[in-house]
Amino acid sequence: MTPDIVADEIHGPFAGPGEARALGRALDWAATPLGPAEAWPESLRTTAQTVLATAFPAIVLWGPELVQLYNDAYRALMGGKHPRGFGQPTRECWPEVWHLTRPTYERVLAGETVTVEDALYPVDRFGYLEDLYFSMSFSPVPDGRGGVGGVLVLLFERSGEVAERRHAAEVERLLREREVERSRLEYVFRQAPTFLAVFRGPEHVFELVNDAYYELAGRRASVGRPLLEALPELRGQGFDAILDGVLATGEPCVGREVPVRLARTPGAPPEERFLDFTYKALAE
């Protein structure tokens, strides 16, 4: 008898390296609903060997009580339920999701293959519930007598990907809401009866102006241009210095009947006028 055959007879489906195989060799299967490993049907032995050799998370649930037998990759998903979950009926191991999984198992035991994508399962792995998302495939495993003996489950946790998609969707929703609100404010801004302008940055670049502003300064291209570039006749009149102070301190500045030399139309000579104004810092 060759060494491989001897090892197979001694260790059965658990021959080979890995924590799950070692646990399977040490477990008293006779004390579980599956009974001694040497008496298992060939279909269970073959499926167990396949699961244990798979690099991806996999578990087989066997018999009427759906006893669990999983691989090393699945062990990471068990959390604090490992190692007692190895050889335990799945209803006892995962009672918190039994109401969700039982209908699926019933369909598979009837011969149907079931797949789910990014399904939510509130599981208790460490003494508290976690909302985790999984993509899973549930396949019937023949019992060798023409029926179904168990359920083979391949799964991937997708919680991180689902969280990222939800975050991206929430950001997009907030951006849409902000744009709607901005449009509303802009409409109110433009319809205001007094002249209004919004500046941004140390050069006081015009970001927004309303119709009343154009009546004051003429139909000049102002948006996107610094104050003294859009209205060069203001140079030396001190308004840029006032804006510098408001921007630096955040303190508003109020002017009453302040003289200003301002052209009414592009290229026209500046005229002296008197303005009431308020410069107020805007927080982001």
Side-chain angles (χ1 to χ4, degrees):
M1 192 176 298
T2 67
D4 289 342
I5 295 176
V6 172
D8 185 63
E9 289 181 350
I10 295 174
H11 302 307
F14 303 105
E19 181 184 351
R21 288 190 177 100
L23 188 59
R25 292 194 294 268
L27 190 65
D28 180 12
W29 289 101
T32 74
L34 295 186
E38 58 269 20
W40 289 358
E42 187 60 32
S43 57
L44 174 55
R45 291 167 62 88
T46 301
T47 304
Q49 289 174 324
T50 301
V51 165
L52 292 167
T54 301
F56 299 110
I59 183 172
V60 59
L61 313 172
W62 192 263
E65 297 190 44
L66 298 173
V67 176
Q68 301 182 144
L69 195 159
Y70 50 82
N71 62 6
D72 288 344
Y74 188 93
R75 177 244 182 277
L77 302 175
M78 291 288 291
K81 298 194 180 208
H82 179 80
R84 73 178 186 276
F86 200 86
Q88 184 181 36
T90 192
R91 182 175 184 175
E92 295 178 13
C93 184
W94 303 102
E96 66 272 21
V97 294
W98 180 246
H99 64 290
L100 299 173
T101 56
R102 178 181 178 181
T104 300
Y105 296 147
E106 291 175 346
R107 292 168 60 187
V108 177
L109 291 173
E112 184 180 352
T113 296
V114 178
T115 59
V116 296
E117 294 289 338
D118 298 341
L120 171 62
Y121 290 89
V123 299
D124 179 0
R125 302 185 298 174
F126 300 102
Y128 55 89
L129 286 178
E130 301 173 82
D131 284 343
L132 301 181
Y133 292 83
F134 295 93
S135 291
M136 295 186 284
S137 171
F138 302 84
S139 304
V141 181
D143 61 6
R145 301 188 302 271
V148 176
V151 179
L152 173 63
V153 186
L154 303 177
L155 71 163
F156 297 93
E157 185 180 349
R158 303 279 293 170
S159 303
E161 291 83 350
V162 171
E164 288 179 3
R165 289 202 305 271
R166 289 189 169 185
H167 176 71
E170 179 66 10
V171 169
E172 184 178 352
R173 183 187 67 81
L174 291 174
L175 289 174
R176 287 198 303 267
E177 288 184 358
R178 189 179 74 172
E179 189 58 34
V180 170
E181 186 65 21
R182 180 184 175 87
S183 297
R184 290 172 179 165
L185 290 174
E186 186 173 336
Y187 174 79
V188 174
F189 183 94
R190 292 188 183 283
Q191 299 303 313
T194 186
F195 66 89
L196 296 172
V198 175
F199 303 100
R200 180 176 294 275
E203 293 187 350
H204 314 302
V205 175
F206 280 98
E207 187 172 74
L208 193 64
V209 298
N210 69 347
D211 291 341
Y213 162 84
Y214 286 120
E215 294 178 8
L216 173 72
R219 289 285 172 178
R220 292 188 259 184
S222 298
V223 175
R225 303 175 68 188
L227 171 68
L228 296 181
E229 180 183 315
L231 304 175
E233 65 270 27
L234 292 182
R235 193 177 303 276
Q237 297 189 53
F239 291 97
D240 53 330
I242 297 174
L243 286 171
D244 288 341
V246 173
L247 186 63
T249 66
E251 296 295 326
C253 177
V254 178
R256 300 296 185 191
E257 299 183 357
V258 177
V260 57
R261 293 186 60 79
L262 190 64
R264 292 187 178 274
T265 59
E271 303 175 18
E272 185 175 53
R273 283 181 272 175
F274 295 86
L275 301 179
D276 292 341
F277 65 83
T278 299
Y279 288 158
K280 180 176 176 57
L282 296 179
E284 294 289 359

